[in-house]
Amino acid sequence: MLRLPNIPNLNFPTFYEEFLPKPCMVRPNEGISIAPLTLQQLRVSPKLSSTKNIASDDIAMDRCRCSSGRLLSSMWREVQGSKNWENLVDPLDSLLRSEIIRYGEFVAACYDAFDLDTNSKRYLNCKYGKSRMLSEVGLGESGYQVTKYIYATPDLIIGSNNISIGSSCGKWIGYIAVSNDEETKRLGRRDVLVTFRGTVTSPEWIANLMSSLTPARLDPHNPRPQVKVEAGFLSLYTSNEDKKFGLGSCREQLLSEIGRLVNKYYKQEDMSITIAGHSMGSALALLLAYDIAELGLNTHHHHHHMTTVTVFSFGGPRVGNSGFKERCEELGVKVLRITNVNDPITKLPGVFLNENSRVLGGKYEVPWSCSCYAHVGVEILLDFFKMHNPSCVHDLGTYLNLLKCPKRCLQVQREEGIHHFINKAKEFVISGLNFNPPLQWKNVAMNMVNMVQSQRT
């Protein structure tokens, strides 16, 4: 069985009402303007490579081009999804494309800065301090300042033997940053940015393989039992760390810092909260966006004004059930999902019970519809994997390289085929575990990976 930790008994009225914002003022700013790009131009085969220095000249030109007179500072609400990206997705608007790439590079920075050297003192943490992290990964001129690092780990107990795979010390999973004054002027608003990396450690892989839905219950005043999310993702988000490190749960770290930043800036200028993630990080991004909106951290009381909360999801899995999707829509959470049609992670969880199996014959809702997973938001579906190269179907670098070079048809490196990719995933999941799981749990993990294999098109 999966045991989730109890959500900390925070004094929520005091905790989040302290940070509730008041009205903000909009000021004229400068920005960028670039021409539309059709989805057809995106259907090419990219080469697997680093995301750095790819078509940087093209992107620089996009950021400076103003021939059509469109400025990001005047269009930022539409780009952030205020109208659900109507008329911006197909064809894909280049202003939106530029912003997708920009936020994707902030997510890629999580991987570049993550220390996987087992001999390092910073193993499974960030290689650099907050003040120089963005500079070290090539984003020193991005116009953002890192204000906080985020740590998380799942607290999971598996089977009747109560075997735990949790850890008393969280692993670095992302960061919070805020735009400086110059970038704020270009963007048209102060942007609070949260980014999450994808799966790396063994406990994170197990959290990904969980498929059971559990009530989110993030609002202490209204548990909303019909709003359910994947148990492993919720565990990553809410599990408490060892208090001697002073971290608290991933959730506590995020809400306290976001609340502090909103409280600091909302009186002076317009704001946005942008949350971006890849793979598992996309799931955490959506949970955080829902949590912020459910608690009202983005709501300006007495003036009925809301700070925009937008998620940019790269290769993200499903996170919750239809009740979760409907509640996100009610709260005004905006989600833009950038996916590869052949990426198996985007088809999990809910391989069989998903948004496509809720209704029979287009008329009758099935009794188990509340147990069906459902994607949230608007999808940009890329079909850039027409050759047998499974090593790149879920790679963030591949996503960004394609978006940066839409007109460039690159040579695809041949690999050993989809079986090579799947076998590597199996080896990582099983050999990387630092415990001896029951046989039935190992079979569950293997079956889940096999289901990924069955989903390729």
Side-chain angles (χ1 to χ4, degrees), residues 273-310:
I273 299 173
T274 307
I275 314 170
H278 172 241
S279 190
M280 175 195 70
S282 294
L284 293 175
L286 184 50
L287 281 175
L288 173 60
Y290 163 72
D291 202 6
I292 290 171
E294 191 70 270
L295 294 179
L297 281 175
N298 65 321
T299 302
H300 301 233
H301 287 289
H302 310 300
H303 295 272
H304 308 289
H305 181 76
M306 296 177 62
T307 297
T308 303
V309 180
T310 304

Side-chain angles (χ1 to χ4, degrees), residues 230-453:
E230 198 259 8
F233 297 147
L234 185 64
S235 176
L236 275 169
Y237 184 62
T238 61
S239 294
N240 280 314
E241 305 300 334
D242 192 325
K243 290 297 184 181
K244 71 179 180 181
F245 294 97
L247 291 175
S249 68
C250 174
R251 183 194 187 203
E252 290 177 283
Q253 298 167 54
L254 290 162
L255 294 183
S256 62
E257 179 65 6
I258 291 171
R260 184 187 72 83
L261 292 172
V262 170
N263 193 46
K264 178 179 179 179
Y265 291 110
Y266 78 89
K267 297 178 182 178
Q268 307 167 12
E269 54 211 344
D270 217 347
M271 289 189 67
S272 62
I273 299 173
T274 307
I275 314 170
H278 172 241
S279 190
M280 175 195 70
S282 294
L284 293 175
L286 184 50
L287 281 175
L288 173 60
Y290 163 72
D291 202 6
I292 290 171
E294 191 70 270
L295 294 179
L297 281 175
N298 65 321
T299 302
H300 301 233
H301 287 289
H302 310 300
H303 295 272
H304 308 289
H305 181 76
M306 296 177 62
T307 297
T308 303
V309 180
T310 304
V311 175
F312 287 91
S313 166
F314 296 88
R318 296 183 181 93
V319 176
N321 67 347
S322 56
F324 175 73
K325 173 185 177 181
E326 292 164 4
R327 184 57 182 162
C328 285
E329 292 171 348
E330 290 174 5
L331 293 169
V333 174
K334 304 302 180 181
V335 182
L336 186 64
R337 296 187 299 109
I338 301 92
T339 64
N340 168 14
V341 68
N342 291 290
D343 186 344
I345 301 301
T346 63
K347 298 173 174 64
L348 294 173
V351 175
F352 304 110
L353 296 178
N354 55 54
E355 61 270 7
N356 299 318
S357 57
R358 290 184 60 206
V359 179
L360 294 176
K363 297 181 180 180
Y364 306 104
E365 186 169 345
V366 297
W368 55 86
S369 60
C370 62
S371 298
C372 292
Y373 278 90
H375 274 302
V376 181
V378 175
E379 181 181 51
I380 294 179
L381 185 62
L382 308 178
D383 185 3
F384 59 82
F385 180 60
K386 295 183 179 300
M387 297 179 69
H388 294 291
N389 185 11
S391 63
C392 71
V393 294
H394 188 59
D395 180 70
L396 178 60
T398 301
Y399 276 72
L400 298 182
N401 287 348
L402 172 66
L403 289 166
K404 289 178 180 181
C405 314
K407 297 180 181 180
R408 190 176 303 173
C409 193
L410 301 177
Q411 177 83 26
V412 175
Q413 297 175 339
R414 285 196 173 272
E415 300 290 341
E416 297 177 24
I418 191 70
H419 295 290
H420 175 77
F421 174 72
I422 296 300
N423 289 336
K424 287 295 183 183
K426 290 178 181 178
E427 292 172 9
F428 184 87
V429 172
I430 299 304
S431 64
L433 300 178
N434 57 2
F435 63 93
N436 184 22
L439 179 60
Q440 62 268 29
W441 172 248
K442 183 181 291 188
N443 290 337
V444 169
M446 298 293 285
N447 288 338
M448 288 297 293
V449 176
N450 285 331
M451 278 196 290
V452 174
Q453 179 179 2

Side-chain angles (χ1 to χ4, degrees), residues 22-227:
K22 296 182 177 61
C24 52
M25 298 179 61
V26 180
R27 65 183 187 183
N29 297 297
E30 298 178 357
I32 62 176
S33 175
I34 43 188
L37 180 75
T38 64
L39 286 178
Q40 186 63 32
Q41 290 175 294
L42 297 175
R43 303 185 189 283
V44 297
S45 298
K47 181 178 180 180
L48 182 64
S49 61
S50 170
T51 62
K52 293 182 179 179
N53 300 322
I54 300 296
S56 57
D57 292 340
D58 294 340
I59 299 302
M61 290 178 62
D62 281 348
R63 290 172 64 86
C64 297
R65 191 180 303 139
C66 301
S67 59
S68 65
R70 296 185 311 146
L71 301 176
L72 179 58
S73 59
S74 62
M75 282 192 63
W76 72 264
R77 289 181 177 83
E78 290 84 353
V79 171
Q80 293 291 110
S82 64
K83 298 180 180 179
N84 293 317
W85 294 281
E86 182 179 355
N87 300 323
L88 295 180
V89 170
D90 194 5
L92 180 59
D93 183 88
S94 288
L95 186 57
L96 174 59
R97 177 176 72 101
S98 179
E99 285 296 275
I100 292 171
I101 294 169
R102 188 171 70 90
Y103 285 120
E105 288 177 333
F106 281 116
V107 178
C110 291
Y111 292 104
D112 292 338
F114 194 53
D115 194 340
L116 287 172
D117 181 1
T118 56
N119 297 318
S120 171
K121 293 181 179 180
R122 292 180 177 267
Y123 178 55
L124 297 183
N125 286 287
C126 185
K127 300 175 186 177
Y128 318 108
K130 293 193 294 292
S131 62
R132 64 189 185 98
M133 191 273 278
L134 291 178
S135 295
E136 292 287 348
V137 298
L139 294 176
E141 303 299 320
S142 65
Y144 282 73
Q145 299 169 340
V146 176
T147 66
K148 190 175 183 66
Y149 282 166
I150 304 301
Y151 301 83
T153 191
D155 181 16
L156 304 175
I157 288 183
I158 300 170
S160 58
N161 295 328
N162 290 334
I163 298 174
S164 174
I165 64 169
S167 171
S168 62
C169 182
K171 309 303 185 291
W172 188 72
I173 202 168
Y175 61 93
I176 299 176
V178 63
S179 59
N180 61 25
D181 291 343
E182 183 179 355
E183 184 69 358
T184 293
K185 182 178 180 181
R186 188 187 74 83
L187 296 175
R189 84 281 184 189
R190 184 74 64 174
D191 189 34
V192 175
L193 170 65
V194 186
T195 64
F196 297 101
R197 63 167 174 81
T199 308
V200 175
T201 69
S202 297
E204 292 165 1
W205 273 103
I206 296 299
N208 286 354
L209 293 173
M210 293 294 179
S211 59
S212 59
L213 285 164
T214 186
R217 292 195 171 96
L218 296 180
D219 183 356
H221 303 303
N222 190 343
R224 301 185 186 277
Q226 76 280 9
V227 176

